[in-house]
Amino acid sequence: MKKNRLRARGLSGLGEFGLINSIVKASRRASSGALALSGASVIVPNGDDAAVLDVRAAFGSDCLAISTDMLVEGVHFDCGLMSFYDVGVKSVTANISDMAATGGARPLFCVVGLAIPVDINVENVDNLLAGLRAAATKDGITLIGGDTVRSNKSIVISITIVGRIDKKSVVERGGAKAGDLICATGAFGDAAAGLRVLQGQRKSKRLCRARYSDAIRAHGYGQLVHAYRRPRHRLNEAILLTARWPRPTAMMDSSDGLAACVRAMSSAADLGAIVNLRDVPLSRAFRRWALSVSGGPLDPKFPWRTVAEGGEEYELVFTAGPSDVPALKKRVNFSVVGEMRCGKGVDFMLNGKKMAGEWRGYENF
């Protein structure tokens, strides 16, 4: 009866993470025998940012990290707000970020699947592929193949990326312990604010797809728009963090938002967490935009949810023991934004007061 009720209420009732958990359970049962025959073993199973296979017994090499990311037009990107070249770059960046999140796996090669409407301009397809190639080449990734199919409406991009990583460097999302500090690289909210700026420009019919409009330049929002169109990954930072002891105890990337990261890591470790919003780094450009829509950080209208739930920054969110943080800070610049604790649930605090409502981040369903 329980399964029938889940089916009746559809994917929105099951939720993205519920769907992922169902797929993970089924795929683990199906793949265990094949892995045993190949001589490989699973270090990090599917369900994390990337699966990690120990193939040293079979190939005498490092572990393999494998990840697939899919982007759908109208869900993950809008070709009216960014160039096709930007779409190509961003799709590869998302996959490299998954390599970073698993402990700094060095990407080697990828395969690309494209679903494309028949009426799309060939020049646009060329620009999309040029962006893919440029982003892959920049990080030494070889595009070794893929597939293309016809789409009835939207562009769909699916990339599977394979990298290599030393087993000692692998970091799972569920390794945090109570008392570990929650840390984050970079600033949050820029990409989400950039998207809102572009959406506002489109409504006022002042948007040029590939360039910043005069209004965006005049208000100093170019950095926010660039963060949305061309986010950067943190692979180098991940490699530095995991190169030697001490290492992070858990790690993810913030593609779905800071709130989603903390919630997923705390759930995987069977812990609760607290996040202090005033400790989350914000760029000057974001603060300038936020002041245009609110009276300041203490104003109830201040876009704190954009900071915590906006996503698409591709920053690293990780945990570390308090005594390990000083050593890690000598390698990489980051901020401490919260703490893992015993119990359940994630509380977002502002000046000592718990913020109302549930803070979740982006979910597909």
Side-chain angles (χ1 to χ4, degrees), residues 50-114:
V52 179
L53 303 180
D54 188 345
V55 296
R56 293 174 296 174
F59 304 107
S61 179
D62 289 342
C63 298
L64 289 181
I66 307 168
S67 179
T68 296
D69 209 44
M70 182 180 294
L71 283 78
V72 180
E73 182 184 6
V75 178
H76 302 102
F77 63 90
D78 186 335
C79 290
L81 300 180
M82 59 198 305
S83 70
F84 283 85
Y85 186 93
D86 288 338
V87 172
V89 172
K90 191 170 187 176
S91 60
V92 174
T93 299
N95 277 264
I96 297 175
S97 187
D98 284 338
M99 293 285 101
T102 203
R106 299 175 186 271
L108 301 173
F109 53 85
C110 67
V111 292
V112 178
L114 287 176

Side-chain angles (χ1 to χ4, degrees), residues 3 40 129 134 154 202 219 282 314 338 348:
K3 290 184 178 179
L129 295 175
S154 301
R202 178 161 59 185
H219 287 90
L282 307 176
Y314 301 103
F348 284 80

Side-chain angles (χ1 to χ4, degrees), residues 177-260:
K177 299 177 177 61
D180 281 357
L181 300 180
I182 302 169
C183 311
T185 61
F188 286 77
D190 280 12
L195 173 59
R196 285 161 177 73
V197 168
L198 288 171
Q199 290 170 333
Q201 290 292 291
R202 178 161 59 185
K203 287 181 180 179
S204 63
K205 299 181 180 180
R206 290 198 298 264
L207 178 69
C208 175
R209 175 182 292 177
R211 301 176 182 176
Y212 306 142
S213 72
D214 292 339
I216 290 174
R217 291 180 186 276
H219 287 90
Y221 297 154
Q223 176 182 327
L224 304 180
V225 171
H226 188 76
Y228 167 70
R229 288 174 169 167
R230 297 277 188 92
R232 60 179 181 177
H233 59 74
R234 294 291 188 173
L235 178 61
N236 290 337
E237 286 83 350
I239 291 172
L240 291 172
L241 285 169
T242 63
R244 62 184 185 276
W245 188 88
R247 298 181 175 92
T249 54
M251 188 153 61
M252 290 182 66
D253 78 338
S254 66
S255 55
D256 292 330
L258 175 63

